[in-house]
């Protein structure tokens, strides 16, 4: 049985004392890129997201967080570099106003997306522009909060799928549909011959347990008989800083995230 680890943290409550610990597991390129952000909140979010990603990868693999190197795939998706065994790990990260998240799986393509649902959004206009016809029709049968909730659920699931495929928005958002009633994907005719896109039965999609103010979705290429266990955890900034400061080779035993 395969597992998917999904960790989230809240950079909006990160204090100045946390950042040195987070930076300690980043490489020189990540630290330099963090310094290029104009707004402090963007820098804080970037540093927190990349420290979180490294710590999740360590928790799953046993390789120290600071030892991972990354490369960028053909379509811009980050991948693990250099470690033959650990290169089989698949990971993806996302962030949205005050929340960062990372998903990690062994060998299974995985994508994650998080959206702050408080933003001003033209639901009707955006849905008509990028959603599949059956998704637009589904939203049209709903009203008020239920409609807004369904819109963000569909949006995050679609984004998570395109990120799991690894080609981002080169996969057209109206080329496949999300069915919220069965929490599944339907791959449209335009993508059926695309080997990266796969078949709807190849994919599992999940929405995270309730995180107030956000929608979080995960997509995994689980295979037709794949049985997946999803572990959703929130890691406080204090806990994440503690993880970053654990010396090499001492392990992570005894750490428990804020919730599972």
């Amino acid at each position: 049985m395969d597992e998917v680890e999904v960790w989230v943290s809240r950079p909006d409550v990160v204090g100045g004392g946390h950042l040195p610990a987070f930076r300690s597991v980043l490489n020189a390129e990540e630290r330099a890129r963090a310094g290029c952000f104009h707004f402090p909140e963007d820098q804080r979010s970037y540093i927190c997201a990349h420290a979180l990603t490294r710590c999740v990868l360590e928790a799953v693999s046993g390789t120290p967080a600071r030892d991972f190197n990354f490369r960028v795939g053909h379509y811009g998706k980050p991948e693990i570099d250099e470690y033959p065994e650990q290169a089989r790990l698949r990971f993806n990260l996302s962030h949205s106003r005050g929340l960062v998240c990372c998903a990690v799986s062994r060998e299974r393509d995985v994508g994650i997306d998080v959206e702050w649902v408080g933003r001003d959004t033209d639901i009707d206009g955006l849905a008509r522009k990028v959603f599949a016809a059956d998704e637009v029709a589904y939203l049209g049968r709903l009203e008020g909060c239920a409609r807004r909730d369904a819109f963000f659920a569909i949006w995050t699931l679609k984004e998570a799928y395109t990120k799991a495929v690894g080609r981002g928005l080169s996969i057209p958002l109206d080329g496949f549909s999300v069915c919220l009633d069965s929490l599944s994907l339907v791959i449209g005719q335009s993508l059926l011959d695309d080997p990266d896109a796969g078949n709807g039965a190849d994919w599992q999609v999940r929405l995270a347990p309730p995180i107030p103010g956000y929608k979080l979705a995960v997509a995994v290429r689980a295979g037709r008989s794949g049985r997946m266990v999803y572990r959703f955890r929130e890691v406080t900034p204090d806990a994440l800083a503690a993880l970053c400061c654990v010396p090499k080779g001492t392990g992570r035993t005894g750490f428990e995230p804020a919730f599972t």
Side-chain angles (χ1 to χ4, degrees):
M1 186 178 296
D2 290 334
E3 296 183 354
V4 179
E5 289 276 351
V6 178
W7 289 17
V8 302
S9 195
R10 299 176 184 265
D12 57 332
V13 294
V14 165
H18 296 120
L19 292 177
F22 296 168
R23 286 193 183 96
S24 71
V25 297
L26 305 186
N27 62 24
E29 181 180 351
E30 289 169 319
R31 290 194 294 270
R33 185 169 181 184
C36 293
F37 287 97
H38 180 71
F39 296 106
E41 59 269 27
D42 294 333
Q43 181 183 98
R44 188 170 60 238
S45 181
Y46 176 90
I47 293 171
C48 184
H50 284 254
L52 181 72
T53 297
R54 286 177 172 274
C55 288
V56 184
L57 287 169
E58 174 171 350
V60 172
S61 70
T63 298
R66 58 180 53 84
D67 286 359
F68 282 96
N69 293 304
F70 304 101
R71 62 173 180 264
V72 176
H74 182 65
Y75 289 93
K77 184 178 182 180
E79 302 169 350
I80 295 171
D81 197 12
E82 292 189 11
Y83 284 87
E85 285 299 313
Q86 310 306 356
R88 297 187 307 173
L89 293 172
R90 301 288 185 266
F91 73 96
N92 197 225
L93 65 157
S94 181
H95 61 88
S96 182
R97 185 173 175 165
L99 194 73
V100 298
C101 56
C102 177
V104 176
S105 176
R106 290 188 179 274
E107 299 187 350
R108 307 285 190 179
D109 292 329
V110 61
I112 189 168
D113 188 61
V114 62
E115 298 288 340
W116 176 57
V117 301
R119 63 191 174 111
D120 187 20
T121 304
D122 179 5
I123 290 176
D124 291 336
L126 192 54
R128 286 194 299 268
K129 184 177 180 180
V130 299
F131 280 9
D134 52 346
E135 294 167 331
V136 175
Y138 181 87
L139 290 175
R141 296 192 291 271
L142 302 175
E143 296 181 355
C145 292
R147 190 180 195 190
R148 186 176 185 85
D149 185 72
F151 170 84
F152 278 103
I154 293 171
W155 180 269
T156 53
L157 287 164
K158 289 171 90 70
E159 289 277 0
Y161 166 73
T162 63
K163 294 175 71 178
V165 171
R167 285 169 36 195
L169 293 181
S170 69
I171 297 287
L173 290 180
D174 61 355
F176 63 98
S177 301
V178 170
C179 179
L180 292 182
D181 292 335
S182 60
L183 208 54
S184 60
L185 297 179
V186 178
I187 307 301
Q189 282 294 129
S190 64
L191 294 175
L192 286 180
D193 294 327
D194 187 327
D196 292 335
N199 185 281
D202 296 332
W203 293 93
Q204 288 187 16
V205 290
R206 293 290 185 273
L207 292 168
I211 301 173
Y214 297 88
K215 278 292 181 185
L216 189 154
V218 183
V220 181
R221 197 189 300 263
R224 294 173 185 270
S225 60
R227 296 178 61 198
M228 309 295 297
V229 173
Y230 297 82
R231 305 189 188 282
F232 295 91
R233 313 171 187 266
E234 181 171 2
V235 183
T236 66
D238 284 345
L240 182 58
L243 285 175
C244 293
C245 292
V246 173
K248 276 188 181 182
T250 60
R252 304 287 183 181
T253 57
F255 169 71
E256 289 294 336
F259 72 79
T260 301

